[in-house]
Amino acid sequence: MPELPDIVVYIENLESRIQGSTLERIRLLNPFILRTAIPPISSAEGRKVLSLRRLGKRIVIELEGDLFLVLHLMVAGRLRWFEGKARLPGKIALAAFDFDSGTLIFTEAGTKRRASIIWFGAKLR
């Protein structure tokens, strides 16, 4: 499981790559990764990334309009960054987030599929 220092490093690296960028498209490759359905995940598309932060061992991506993507990597989840639009890596890819600056791919090497994306519109406290 990625520990706290790993999460901090992910956030620092993502800040330099996606903060201020526009989330152009979300590709969900495994329907079980998304743990919420309201509002529709497609409403995140076209919104600018305002900030990134940590909530426990979760990565929070704040978007315009008080909308948040919360990534929980669990045991075998990893994030991979590709410049430009990337092809998805085989069976381990769960989701791809296409930004105007590149593509963030959410992968999980394990077979239990514990990693998750929580999507909501509300203020985090």
Side-chain angles (χ1 to χ4, degrees):
M1 171 181 298
E3 295 297 328
L4 189 58
D6 300 328
I7 301 299
V8 171
V9 169
Y10 271 132
I11 290 171
E12 288 172 354
N13 280 288
L14 286 173
E15 282 176 335
S16 66
R17 290 183 166 100
I18 67 172
Q19 191 162 344
S21 294
T22 300
L23 177 57
E24 295 177 343
R25 182 173 156 210
I26 298 174
R27 295 180 275 167
L28 296 178
L29 303 166
N30 184 321
F32 300 109
I33 185 121
L34 186 63
R35 303 296 163 95
T36 54
I38 298 173
I41 191 80
S42 60
S43 60
E45 295 174 348
R47 297 186 187 265
K48 186 179 274 192
V49 175
L50 300 179
S51 68
L52 289 104
R53 65 184 125 183
R54 180 180 62 77
L55 182 64
K57 290 186 179 179
R58 293 169 180 86
I59 297 169
V60 179
I61 302 171
E62 181 182 2
L63 302 170
E64 293 175 315
D66 289 332
L67 297 171
F68 300 87
L69 283 169
V70 182
L71 309 178
H72 195 187
L73 301 176
M74 290 299 287
V75 175
R78 299 292 183 266
L79 298 174
R80 299 170 73 182
W81 179 257
F82 293 92
E83 299 296 328
K85 305 299 178 243
R87 248 187 62 209
L88 302 174
K91 295 179 181 181
I92 64 171
L94 300 175
F97 304 91
D98 296 318
F99 293 90
D100 52 8
S101 57
T103 300
L104 180 65
I105 298 181
F106 192 172
T107 66
E108 186 175 23
T111 57
K112 298 205 182 204
R113 299 294 181 232
R114 294 179 177 157
S116 65
I117 299 171
I118 301 166
W119 163 246
F120 61 95
K123 286 284 188 188
L124 282 180
R125 301 199 193 283

